[in-house]
Amino acid sequence: KKNCSNLFFDTSYVSHSSKKNLQNKKGIVIQKFAKIMPNVKIGDGVKINVSCQIHHGSSIGKFTTLAPSSVILGNVSIGKYSYIGANSTIKQNIKIGDNCIIGAGSVVIRNVKNNEVVAGSPAKLLRKNKK
């Protein structure tokens, strides 16, 4: 909706350049102890749970959820409508497609195509997600 504001908890950290990127966005929730480093782009309706980290130059597509304590390293691109499981780590320069699910505790070291479900350490394809 037009009047859906963003919610940033006081104990979260969002760098100055990332705050600038969020000025015209709506419905973003950044929970306690989350850290968002410089030049991160976040789409509308994204939920960043407790203790998540998103490092420099990454982008998160609209309506994506990052579960607690997930770590997104530098220059990662995550598509829209995806879910990143708790305690997952996505290595730098990885591309995650739209409508993907990353299982809890996974370590993603390869790109993930649209509609894929991956899990494990290193993460492996489990199945294709229904569209």
Side-chain angles (χ1 to χ4, degrees):
K1 300 287 181 179
K2 291 181 181 177
N3 296 328
C4 189
S5 61
N6 297 326
L7 175 62
F8 303 157
F9 283 75
D10 289 340
T11 55
S12 64
Y13 168 79
V14 181
S15 75
H16 181 70
S17 61
S18 294
K19 275 184 186 173
K20 275 185 160 180
N21 291 335
L22 297 175
Q23 285 180 341
N24 296 320
K25 301 297 180 177
K26 297 178 181 121
I28 297 171
V29 177
I30 300 176
Q31 291 191 340
K32 294 180 179 181
F33 309 112
K35 291 183 182 176
I36 302 182
M37 300 305 171
N39 301 315
V40 172
K41 295 178 183 169
I42 298 174
D44 292 333
V46 169
K47 182 174 183 187
I48 300 170
N49 269 290
V50 176
S51 298
C52 288
Q53 295 179 37
I54 305 173
H55 291 269
H56 64 90
S58 294
S59 66
I60 312 294
K62 66 180 183 176
F63 300 105
T64 290
T65 298
L66 276 63
S69 299
S70 52
V71 177
I72 311 301
L73 296 176
N75 299 311
V76 170
S77 174
I78 300 175
K80 54 191 175 188
Y81 307 108
S82 292
Y83 179 83
I84 311 301
N87 296 310
S88 296
T89 300
I90 300 177
K91 301 295 262 181
Q92 59 271 19
N93 302 312
I94 297 293
K95 289 182 173 52
I96 308 286
D98 296 339
N99 196 34
C100 291
I101 298 173
I102 309 299
S106 297
V107 177
V108 180
I109 60 172
R110 291 183 191 90
N111 293 341
V112 179
K113 296 177 185 171
N114 292 344
N115 305 306
E116 287 187 344
V117 178
V118 300
S121 178
K124 293 186 172 132
L125 178 65
L126 296 180
R127 64 180 169 86
K128 283 285 199 178
N129 213 3
K130 293 182 181 179
K131 295 177 186 177

